[in-house]
Amino acid sequence: MTSYDRRDLGLLLLRLGTGGVLVAHGTQKLFGWFGGHGLEGTGQFMESVGYAPGKASATAAGLAEAGGGALLALGLATPAAGAAAAGAMAGASAVHVPNGFFAQSGGYEYAASLGLTGAALAVAGPGRLSLDHALGHTVNRGWMVSTALGVTAAATAVIVGLRTRRLRKREEGEQEVLFEE
């Protein structure tokens, strides 16, 4: 086995593993599979952590995870798939940042790892054992990597920024009166 073959096999395994995990997370949100809460329950949670409207946020997150994960696993439209995963996981990481880094304490470690893996796959490409390769890389061009990651980064920054603003307003409304008049 040549090193090129090993790289392709490694990328396949990484895509299948990461993509499979993302599909499972996305279908929890969208359909309530694997012990998830579906759009209604996830929408309520999203609203409670500052993503509004909740149901639309749950739909967007679920589609980015399930769709991006499925495309990653297939090695199809890899730049867009990896960017979708990275964006969804950046939004999830923002929720977990107050709990610190480690997942055992509710931190952002796991979400950040999935997001970084998605971004790395977008940059590295899917390898030869992929639909992108079989289709002549028509939806996996070099310019698509920077475009997909750039657009996703900008959109994610806006969404997380709006969430942060909502949470600040909520906290300001819940502050206790320091001095009575």
Side-chain angles (χ1 to χ4, degrees), residues 17-22 25 65 72 82 85-86 89-90 93 108-121:
T18 303
V21 168
L22 287 165
H25 279 283
E65 291 173 4
L72 276 177
M89 293 301 103
S93 292
Y108 64 94
E109 170 188 22
Y110 186 62
S113 294
L114 286 174
L116 287 170
T117 303
L121 286 166

Side-chain angles (χ1 to χ4, degrees), residues 17-115:
T18 303
V21 168
L22 287 165
V23 167
H25 279 283
T27 58
Q28 283 182 311
K29 290 172 181 64
L30 294 171
F31 310 117
W33 296 354
F34 309 113
H37 299 287
L39 285 176
E40 288 299 322
T42 304
Q44 291 172 6
F45 170 75
M46 296 290 260
E47 193 86 34
S48 77
V49 296
Y51 288 114
K55 193 169 182 178
S57 298
T59 301
L63 288 173
E65 291 173 4
L71 290 172
L72 276 177
L74 294 170
L76 181 62
T78 304
M89 293 301 103
S93 292
V95 172
H96 295 282
V97 162
N99 300 322
F101 177 71
F102 292 105
Q104 69 190 24
S105 302
Y108 64 94
E109 170 188 22
Y110 186 62
S113 294
L114 286 174

